[in-house]
């Protein structure tokens, strides 16, 4: 492809792209955390759902889906598996019997207690690579990217 002056743009350099660096950093963090979570029978999705219920007080599947950043179908599938595993209980809503209310079981509360040190350690390992000012700036810049992402891309 050429521009209006007939020159060829430089080749796309994967290792120079922002997307590559974001993906690589995210995969490093995710792999480390998932390895630890797997030891207690969880994955990243089930961990995030447990946190939504335990720490954020969310009980509606649609609210949990928004918090975790996954679609409602994936949330329902994960919740079914978590119910089978004894991590959560589902019941009908009080006002509308068609709605579902999600609560943690004792096993789910234990999983949050077991997973929290692993998640904290993982975050601390990443944060230790940066100064406090760099850490704050990275969070600020990532927020700029996240908040500026068009809605049709953010649903991925």
């Amino acid at each position: 492809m050429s521009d209006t002056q007939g020159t060829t743009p430089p080749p796309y350099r994967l290792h120079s792209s922002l997307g590559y660096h974001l993906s690589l950093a995210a995969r490093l963090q995710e792999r480390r955390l998932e390895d630890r979570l797997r030891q207690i029978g969880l994955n990243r999705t089930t961990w995030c759902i447990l946190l939504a219920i335990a720490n954020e007080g969310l009980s509606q599947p649609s609210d949990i889906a928004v918090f975790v950043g996954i679609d409602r179908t994936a949330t329902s599938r994960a919740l079914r598996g978590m119910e089978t595993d004894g991590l959560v209980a589902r019941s009908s809503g009080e006002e509308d019997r068609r709605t579902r209310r999600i609560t943690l079981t004792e096993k789910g509360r234990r999983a949050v207690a077991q997973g929290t040190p692993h998640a904290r350690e993982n975050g601390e390992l990443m944060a230790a690579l940066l100064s406090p000012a760099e850490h704050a700036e990275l969070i600020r810049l990532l927020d700029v990217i996240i908040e500026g992402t068009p809605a049709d891309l953010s649903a991925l």
Side-chain angles (χ1 to χ4, degrees), residues 57-134:
L58 301 178
S59 63
Q60 298 300 314
S62 56
D63 295 335
I64 293 167
V66 170
F67 176 80
V68 173
I70 58 177
D71 67 39
R72 180 72 167 77
T73 303
T75 303
S76 292
R77 186 175 33 246
L79 286 169
R80 278 192 302 277
M82 293 171 74
E83 184 176 29
T84 299
D85 291 342
L87 296 166
V88 299
R90 296 191 295 176
S91 60
S92 295
E94 293 176 12
E95 292 111 35
D96 184 347
R97 305 297 282 170
R98 295 171 296 175
T99 64
R100 292 282 175 227
R101 185 172 183 273
I102 310 300
T103 57
L104 288 184
T105 62
E106 182 56 37
K107 183 177 180 182
R109 285 187 285 280
R110 280 194 312 270
V112 171
Q114 290 176 305
T116 296
H118 298 311
R120 280 199 175 112
E121 175 189 26
N122 195 47
E124 289 166 359
L125 285 169
M126 298 290 277
L129 299 171
L130 304 171
S131 72
E134 289 170 330

